[in-house]
Amino acid sequence: MMAPQARKLLSADALFGMLRTGFADIAEHRPGDTDISWTDALMSAFALFSLKSPSLLAFDKERTEGNLHRVYGIERVPCDTAMREMLDPVEPASLRPLFTDIFRALQRGKALEEMVFVEGHYLLALDGTGYFSSQQIHCASCLEMHHRNGTVTYHHQMLSAALVHPDKREVIPLMPEPIIKQDGADKNDCERNAAKRLIAKLRQDHPHLKVIVTEDSLSSNAPHIEVLQDHHLHYILGVKEGDHASLFEHVAAAERAGRVLSYDREDTKTGLRHRFRFIRDVPLNEANGDLRVNFLECWEWNRDHVQHFSWVTDLRVNKGTVYQLMRGGRARWRIENETFNTLKNQGYHFEHNYGHGYQHLSVMFAGLMMLAFLVDQVQQLCCPLFQAVWAKLGSKRRLWEKMRALFYAYALESMRHLFEALLYGWKKMAPILVLDSS
Ligand SMILES: [Zn+2]
């Protein structure tokens, strides 16, 4: 029986090799005063998230160094304390080239073509999420919430960005931007500033990428839209009547004057009915009258159930485009459903505290977990062998459990070897001989 063929350069094994090279570049700038190499420390932390090991301790105890060496190229695995100490001072921004390397490999392998949304443009969903909160544990990178009674809650948040597509479950995350407290800034400022940084870096890394940004209604404000425009990014952004009162009043007045267009659509296949209402060139709000946007509203009926959505966009709104724009606006949910919910509930232990550190450890771990998630998403998108194993085992959780069980018990040559064993069975494989030296 032949294993399904995969695109070799996008296989987990090829990507692990690429990451090792990237980690070695980070390691070059660090003093080598321990007997564990920096590359090994970084690759070990990555392997922890790649295997979805529930804790550093479990990873340490159950590790099989032979497999970590053969599959991940790690010479020596640090103990959990050494790993924490080594990673804590590393600037999380140093992970960005690794995300870019994988993105370029996807582009070269033409794997992103199926993620194109319209006319060569990708949909990029942006959203913030929290992954840590404590009243006691904190570090130099923590956001702080000061309560009236004098107590402080420390927490971590990040702004994530991922290519999404309405028809695809796979998402391609970019390097997340940590949301960090600046003096005198409130939470919204922090998120807005993080968006500014993320967008500037996106354009640095991908100067010519055609992008339509999709976000929730918190992002529909003039300063943010100006940042998007300055960086040549299109947008489909949620708006809410409660937060954008003057915009909705303007639309209501235009409706009374007969200037709002509408379009009804019925999909006989799915039984869904849509009503679209749209108007071009309206002011986003009173304070920023010169910022003009196109407005689109949609009702969707599914038998008795009705849902309502509204967006502003710089893309043309007409009968020919509104259905596709609606799908693009709603694809924003993929960053919550397929990214954050997967990280939190599908075995990645996103909110679990692997160790907080004093400087960057917590942010580094979050970045490395996103990197492991990216490699997994590439497998889900491009690797028929991974897809076959996932289909066979039925759920991601079960897939990771089986993967770990095999990894800890059998001698493996590569990730491909592991996936093949999961698909075809491993009865004929020789178990590792464990010698009890006690
Ligand atoms: Zn912290």
Side-chain angles (χ1 to χ4, degrees):
M1 199 157 39
M2 286 286 288
Q5 287 302 308
R7 282 185 253 206
K8 255 198 182 143
L9 294 172
L10 294 171
S11 69
D13 294 307
L15 296 181
F16 291 171
M18 190 185 286
L19 292 177
R20 267 201 308 276
T21 310
F23 287 140
D25 282 344
I26 300 176
E28 234 174 64
H29 307 289
R30 317 212 69 84
D33 53 357
T34 62
D35 50 355
I36 304 268
S37 81
W38 280 97
T39 313
D40 276 355
L42 287 157
M43 198 67 199
S44 299
F46 171 79
L48 167 78
F49 297 116
S50 171
L51 293 165
K52 286 87 188 163
S53 195
S55 72
L56 284 174
L57 192 64
F59 184 65
D60 186 34
K61 252 189 193 167
E62 298 174 69
R63 70 191 158 169
T64 49
E65 298 219 349
N67 281 345
L68 285 169
H69 175 61
R70 285 185 301 273
V71 178
Y72 291 95
I74 299 164
E75 296 293 331
R76 285 191 61 197
V77 186
C79 71
D80 57 350
T81 311
M83 190 194 282
R84 287 191 189 103
E85 282 173 1
M86 289 178 83
L87 296 191
D88 194 30
V90 180
E91 279 286 342
S94 57
L95 295 176
R96 192 154 68 98
L98 290 96
F99 282 86
T100 317
D101 286 348
I102 295 183
F103 196 91
R104 300 241 185 286
L106 282 162
Q107 284 179 311
R108 275 195 305 274
K110 311 242 179 270
L112 290 185
E113 284 177 3
E114 50 187 311
M115 297 293 286
V116 169
F117 175 55
V118 280
E119 294 170 15
H121 285 73
Y122 297 101
L123 274 176
L124 183 78
L126 298 187
D127 201 7
T129 192
Y131 59 91
F132 171 84
S133 172
S134 168
Q135 302 243 332
Q136 281 100 33
I137 301 167
H138 57 97
C139 70
S141 312
C142 271
L143 289 165
E144 292 173 17
M145 210 194 298
H146 292 263
H147 305 288
R148 282 220 179 124
N149 64 5
T151 59
V152 183
T153 304
Y154 301 95
H155 59 121
H156 280 261
Q157 289 188 325
M158 65 186 189
L159 184 68
S160 286
L163 293 193
V164 298
H165 189 283
D167 300 329
K168 295 223 151 275
R169 288 188 66 179
E170 291 75 26
V171 301
I172 302 297
L174 308 180
M175 169 81 188
E177 183 63 36
I179 300 176
I180 291 164
K181 171 108 176 93
Q182 285 123 19
D183 287 340
D186 64 22
K187 183 183 167 287
N188 286 339
D189 272 345
C190 291
E191 207 164 317
R192 203 176 293 174
N193 285 326
K196 260 192 210 167
R197 295 193 299 272
L198 188 144
I199 286 165
K201 290 170 188 172
L202 164 75
R203 267 299 170 239
Q204 255 173 41
D205 288 344
H206 310 286
H208 306 297
L209 198 70
K210 292 179 174 177
V211 174
I212 302 166
V213 170
T214 173
E215 295 176 78
D216 68 15
S217 71
L218 286 176
S219 66
S220 295
N221 59 76
H224 182 65
I225 291 178
E226 279 156 12
V227 171
L228 295 174
Q229 287 171 337
D230 289 346
H231 291 84
H232 309 291
L233 299 162
H234 295 293
Y235 57 85
I236 308 172
L237 308 175
V239 280
K240 278 187 191 160
E241 195 157 2
D243 300 336
H244 300 90
S246 79
L247 173 69
F248 279 80
E249 279 163 22
H250 191 100
V251 173
E255 168 94 79
R256 288 192 294 275
R259 289 191 292 112
V260 175
L261 299 168
S262 68
Y263 167 55
D264 291 310
R265 189 180 189 280
E266 195 157 351
D267 193 331
T268 42
K269 247 192 257 165
T270 58
L272 293 179
R273 270 194 311 125
H274 291 102
R275 158 154 290 200
F276 297 97
R277 252 182 14 142
F278 51 95
I279 179 168
R280 284 183 282 267
D281 197 32
V282 289
L284 179 71
N285 55 41
E286 276 169 41
N288 304 87
D290 50 344
L291 178 61
R292 317 285 291 191
V293 293
N294 300 329
F295 173 87
L296 165 66
E297 206 172 4
C298 162
W299 289 263
E300 179 181 279
W301 287 272
N302 188 359
R303 291 194 187 88
D304 300 337
H305 184 64
V306 58
Q307 283 181 283
H308 174 252
F309 309 92
S310 40
W311 296 278
V312 292
T313 178
D314 64 330
L315 298 166
R316 262 169 304 156
V317 286
N318 57 45
K319 285 183 185 177
T321 63
V322 288
Y323 179 72
Q324 192 67 345
L325 288 171
M326 176 270 289
R327 279 165 35 89
R330 288 170 70 179
R332 187 194 75 75
W333 284 100
R334 297 246 175 246
I335 199 160
E336 285 183 23
N337 290 349
E338 304 298 339
T339 313
F340 301 144
N341 288 349
T342 303
L343 291 176
K344 287 175 184 175
N345 307 318
Q346 299 290 316
Y348 286 85
H349 315 287
F350 187 48
E351 291 163 305
H352 178 79
N353 180 17
Y354 284 89
H356 200 80
Y358 302 97
Q359 298 176 66
H360 306 298
L361 186 67
S362 174
V363 183
M364 272 302 278
F365 277 155
L368 286 160
M369 182 179 291
M370 193 62 94
L371 200 54
F373 174 70
L374 169 59
V375 171
D376 294 339
Q377 288 293 295
V378 174
Q379 300 316 296
Q380 194 176 312
L381 187 68
C382 307
C383 175
L385 181 59
F386 178 92
Q387 292 157 2
V389 175
W390 184 25
K392 179 184 169 185
L393 295 175
S395 80
K396 287 267 176 74
R397 265 180 183 284
R398 207 167 133 73
L399 169 59
W400 310 141
E401 269 167 33
K402 293 270 177 196
M403 240 175 88
R404 266 199 313 278
L406 218 61
F407 193 89
Y408 294 138
Y410 291 90
L412 299 163
E413 292 307 319
S414 60
M415 212 34 131
R416 181 170 184 86
H417 186 195
L418 174 54
F419 289 149
E420 283 176 353
L422 286 172
L423 188 58
Y424 304 119
W426 55 88
K427 279 184 186 135
K428 285 179 192 156
M429 292 163 56
I432 296 171
L433 288 176
V434 181
L435 297 176
D436 190 350
S437 58
S438 58

